[in-house]
Every structure is written in structure tokens, then in C-alpha cells.
Amino acid sequence: PLSVILIDVDFFKRYNDTYGHQAGDECLKKIAQAVASVVKRQGDLVARYGGEEFVVILPATDVPGAVRVAEEIRLAVAEANLEHRSSTVREIVSLSQGIATLIPRLDTSPDELIAAADEALYYAKSRGRDRYVVFDRKMQDRSLAIMQVEKDLRLALEREEFCLHYQPIVSLINGEIVGFEALVRWNHPQRGLVSPAEFIPIAEQTGLITSMSWWIFHQACCQLREWQLRFPHYQTLMMSINLSGKQLEQLGMVERVDRILQEVGVAASSIKLEITESSFKETPALGTILNHLKAMGFQLAIDDFGTGYSSLSRLHQFPIDTLKIDRSFINQMSRDPKGVAIVEAIVILAQHTNINTISEGIETIAQLEQLQSLNCEFGQGYLFSKPLDSHAASALLAQ
Ligand code: C2E
Ligand code: CA
Ligand code: CA
Ligand code: CA
């Protein structure tokens, strides 16, 4: 059998902040040495694999053998950590390791083996720091399914099978449409409209989300421009666009956004960028980027607010304009007085910090009335309208 270990190195946030990226590179070299000191049998191979990943290839090694190597690597790196120990930084890195072992068959390509290790690595990372996970059958099925969807998504992007639907956001005070949220759909030639819940997570995992998000951003801006020209009395109409954490981290993101705005001819002030609460945790440099976007004139919203367990005091460091109260709280409200208290607390806190609130997923008149009495300003949900295709959304504005 042939085994592969994919190793992902994660720096603790403060390390690069404190010592800079050059020190980070030095540190990666040390780790490479630590890994190489373990993997020294003839025929074994260690290589850098992308920025902060290493790949270890172990011929004639079964699963227990590969696990032993993974454990030794962890110990060697822990020791390298100890050498670095100082008063400010106690541990420098953690390792996640994905292990895959295959009995080479004629039809097994190196690509598949790496994809399997990558899948295991993904599991290891999702379970916390310093773990290794061995690829198994269940993952194999999942991995194959993901590879298939990834292929399909790539093709879909080329063939322009994606489209945007638009859900109105209304003022809860007078019922007027103040904007739309752009929601992506996959117009699958066989399956019809596919929900983003099905393909966005895979697009995120495979990195395809970035090119997809740029298409979405451009498309939504074009639609807004068209509406501004066609419906002059809707001059202040906003377009809300969902951004993925990955997209925010992309180099040159701010410049690219600026270029699209110029090209299409819409003002940043009429675009609201929605960022999920969870991406605040996953994106260390987010503060800098958000300040940049804010300075350009964008409005910023925190999406799915209340599900990510972050405190409003921490979020207050960021230049946020809007909180979108997660659908689950609106849903809970009608059944449980505690739900009402939570929504009320969010609205009051937001008002005190000059942030406005949008409630998601309003489905009943009772919910609407409750939210009105809590002074929530804006809302969105099936009660007003489902997400509509461009045509139907235009008709709504023409009324
Ligand atoms: P989200 O950003 O929280 O979007 C709101 C979701 O709630 C949408 O689902 C919308 O159709 C649904 N919804 C709206 N009103 C109601 C209601 O009254 N009741 C119920 N039960 N649901 C309602 P959708 O379009 O399936 O999107 C799911 C998620 O996929 C979005 O959640 C968002 O996280 C992601 N997504 C959608 N479009 C994009 C996109 O263009 N880019 C990115 N990065 N993510 C997207
Ligand atoms: Ca990493
Ligand atoms: Ca959203
Ligand atoms: Ca949401």
C-alpha cells in the first residue's frame, strides 16, 4: 500500500502579528526540518505543498504505519514549538493532518489519492487543532460526490448556468421596498433550479467560491444599475450581496471591487455587503478589509446574526451598519417568549450603537406585528415575497 499525509500548518494569530511574515517563513523552514527528521526511510518523500501545507508520501506503508509517522511528526513539531517558546508566544503553530492509504490499483490516480488525503484533512481541521484523521469509506463516497459536483460547478460557471434571484427587503414601518438581496441559483440543465445550500459549501471547500462570487458581484451590480435607470423613483434602492470569507481574504479584493463598480457605474453606497457572523472568526485580517470597504462607501451587514456566538461588543470594533437577525430567532418568537426577548435585546443593543436591524424569514402576520412592536426597522421573508427572478422582481418595482 501507498500512504499520503497532507499536513496543514496553522500559525496562531498573534505570531505573524508580533513577528511578521519573514519570521513566519523561518518558522515554516523549522517545521519542514522537523517533518523531514521523521520521514527518512528510503523512498519516503516530503514536499512543500502550497503555502502552508506539506505532503508526505510513504511507499509500502499501511494505515497503522502512516498513523505512527503522523504522530511522530506531531511530536517533532511540538518540540520545535518548545524551542521557540517565549514570554509572548507560547505555541507557534498547530498541525492538522489528513492521512490516506490506498492499495494502488491501475485505476487509482495520484490525484485521487491526494484528494482523499485532502478530504481527511478537511475533517481533521473541522474537528479542532492538532488532529489527524484517516480517510475512510464514508469519506470516500463523500469525496467522490464532491469531486463530481466540483467538476459540474466548474462547467456550470463556463456555461453560465448560474443566475441570481432577488428577494425584496421592506421597511416594516411603511411596507416599502428598500432593496433586494441577491441569491444565487444554479439552473441545472437536468435538475432545474438547485439551491445554494447544496453547492455553496462545496464551492467554499474547493475554492471555486472566489470565481463564482466575482460573477455574482458583477451580475448583482449590473441588475441594480438597470433598475436605477428604469425606475428613477427608486434612487435609494439597495442591493445586498453575500460575500464569502474566502473572497474577503483574496489579495487585491478591494481594487477588484472598485474596478467592477467603475465599469458598471454604480455607487458603493448603494451596495450592502453581507458577511456571515461565522466568517468573522475565520478571517483574521477582516478588520482591515472591512475598514477599507467602509471607507469606499459600502454598507456592511452581519448576516445570520445570533448564530455565531460572538458578542456585540467585539463586533462593535467593526464598522457595521446592519445586523440581520437570523431566521431561527424569528421562527422561535411565535412559540417561545424567550425568543421574543432575544430579538428585543438585539434590536435595543443595535439601536444604541447606531446599527439598524433586518429580520430574516418573516412568514406570518403575527411575526410581523411582533417585530413592529419591537421596533425592528426592516424585514425580509416569504410573507412579503419569495426570492424572484430578475423579470418578476422588475415587475414588482414597476407596480
Ligand atoms: P442567507 O444569506 O441567510 O439567505 C437567506 C435565505 O433564506 C435564502 O435561502 C432565502 O431564500 C431564504 N428565505 C428568505 N425568506 C424566507 C422565509 O420567509 N422563510 C424561509 N424558510 N426561508 C426564507 P437560499 O436562497 O436558499 O440561500 C441559502 C444560503 O446560501 C444563503 O443564506 C447564503 O448563506 C447562501 N447564498 C445564497 N446566495 C449566495 C451568494 O450569492 N453568495 C454566497 N457567498 N452565498 C450565498
Ligand atoms: Ca493553514
Ligand atoms: Ca444573506
Ligand atoms: Ca441570513
Side-chain angles (χ1 to χ4, degrees):
L2 171 74
S3 288
V4 167
I5 307 178
L6 264 188
I7 305 172
D8 180 62
V9 181
D10 272 326
F11 281 86
F12 290 116
K13 217 164 92 193
R14 274 177 30 225
Y15 186 77
N16 274 337
D17 291 352
T18 317
Y19 296 111
H21 285 280
Q22 208 175 346
D25 279 347
E26 285 293 309
C27 185
L28 272 176
K29 250 184 238 160
K30 281 232 161 70
I31 290 168
Q33 281 161 9
V35 176
S37 73
V38 173
V39 183
K40 49 186 178 251
R41 260 186 350 171
Q42 205 160 36
D44 291 352
L45 200 80
V46 185
R48 185 101 168 245
Y49 189 72
E52 294 176 1
E53 287 188 20
F54 295 97
V55 61
V56 175
I57 296 169
L58 307 164
T61 306
D62 57 5
V63 174
V67 165
R68 263 197 308 279
V69 173
E71 273 167 356
E72 280 176 39
I73 288 174
R74 192 166 53 82
L75 288 177
V77 171
E79 223 148 85
N81 261 334
L82 277 179
E83 280 170 27
H84 264 266
R85 186 165 287 204
S86 73
S87 57
T88 45
V89 181
R90 287 160 63 78
E91 285 166 304
I92 298 162
V93 294
S94 71
L95 290 188
S96 306
Q97 307 187 85
I99 303 171
T101 303
L102 284 185
I103 320 264
R105 302 184 313 254
L106 283 175
D107 56 348
T108 310
S109 69
D111 272 1
E112 280 173 85
L113 190 55
I114 295 282
D118 199 36
E119 183 69 12
L121 177 62
Y122 176 77
Y123 273 86
K125 281 175 81 82
S126 69
R127 279 174 207 174
R129 294 183 168 147
D130 274 329
R131 324 228 153 186
Y132 63 81
V133 164
V134 179
F135 186 77
D136 67 17
R137 251 246 105 79
K138 245 194 288 164
M139 276 182 233
Q140 184 164 12
D141 295 342
R142 210 181 98 93
S143 164
L144 282 177
I146 286 180
M147 269 166 67
Q148 188 55 48
V149 177
E150 187 192 357
K151 250 187 234 155
D152 290 352
L153 283 176
R154 243 176 241 291
L155 269 182
L157 208 56
E158 276 168 29
R159 293 180 185 156
E160 301 191 34
E161 285 171 5
F162 293 106
C163 65
L164 294 184
H165 280 196
Y166 304 91
Q167 187 176 36
I169 297 172
V170 303
S171 156
L172 296 187
I173 297 162
N174 57 25
E176 273 173 27
I177 296 175
V178 296
F180 286 88
E181 175 176 5
L183 294 158
V184 68
R185 300 285 179 267
W186 178 5
N187 206 341
H188 195 283
Q190 277 91 46
R191 297 172 55 201
L193 283 187
V194 181
S195 149
E198 223 178 285
F199 60 84
I200 290 274
I202 295 174
E204 298 239 358
Q205 193 185 330
T206 57
L208 210 61
I209 188 75
T210 31
S211 36
M212 210 159 127
S213 298
W214 286 117
W215 180 85
I216 292 166
F217 187 82
H218 183 259
Q219 186 69 17
C221 287
C222 290
Q223 181 65 76
L224 180 65
R225 180 74 190 136
E226 188 203 315
W227 282 337
Q228 283 173 342
L229 293 174
R230 256 175 86 188
F231 307 107
H233 56 290
Y234 274 114
Q235 265 324 306
T236 58
L237 195 73
M238 300 283 304
M239 181 67 82
S240 292
I241 303 174
N242 295 285
L243 286 192
S244 80
K246 282 235 172 72
Q247 192 178 16
L248 287 167
E249 271 181 329
Q250 223 188 7
L251 223 64
M253 133 95 187
V254 173
E255 291 75 15
R256 187 149 179 195
V257 155
D258 199 35
R259 221 176 322 130
I260 295 178
L261 291 182
Q262 302 270 344
E263 184 194 316
V264 178
V266 296
S269 57
S270 52
I271 306 278
K272 188 172 277 182
L273 303 175
E274 297 193 2
I275 299 138
T276 59
E277 199 185 350
S278 51
S279 52
F280 276 78
K281 259 179 270 157
E282 293 154 10
T283 318
L286 198 59
T288 321
I289 302 162
L290 291 185
N291 281 324
H292 237 101
L293 291 168
K294 185 68 203 167
M296 289 169 71
F298 285 106
Q299 301 224 7
L300 303 176
I302 299 185
D303 204 355
D304 302 342
F305 184 73
T307 57
Y309 306 104
S310 38
S311 64
L312 199 57
S313 63
R314 195 177 100 74
L315 292 176
H316 192 51
Q317 306 161 6
F318 301 105
I320 298 301
D321 302 280
T322 303
L323 292 183
K324 293 193 81 171
I325 305 171
D326 191 67
R327 191 165 77 217
S328 57
F329 296 108
I330 309 307
N331 204 316
Q332 200 186 348
M333 230 173 31
S334 38
R335 283 179 271 119
D336 181 358
K338 258 191 261 158
V340 180
I342 292 173
V343 174
E344 184 173 23
I346 296 176
V347 174
I348 290 175
L349 270 169
Q351 277 167 350
H352 275 285
T353 44
N354 268 328
I355 289 173
N356 61 44
T357 46
I358 304 180
S359 292
E360 301 184 319
I362 305 175
E363 292 181 353
T364 65
I365 299 271
Q367 288 168 341
L368 170 62
E369 285 172 349
Q370 192 116 52
L371 289 164
Q372 282 169 329
S373 75
L374 297 178
N375 291 320
C376 175
E377 294 130 300
F378 302 102
Q380 189 179 349
Y382 295 164
L383 177 66
F384 309 109
S385 167
K386 293 205 164 191
L388 305 167
D389 64 23
S390 161
H391 210 71
S394 302
L396 206 60
L397 288 173
Q399 271 175 15

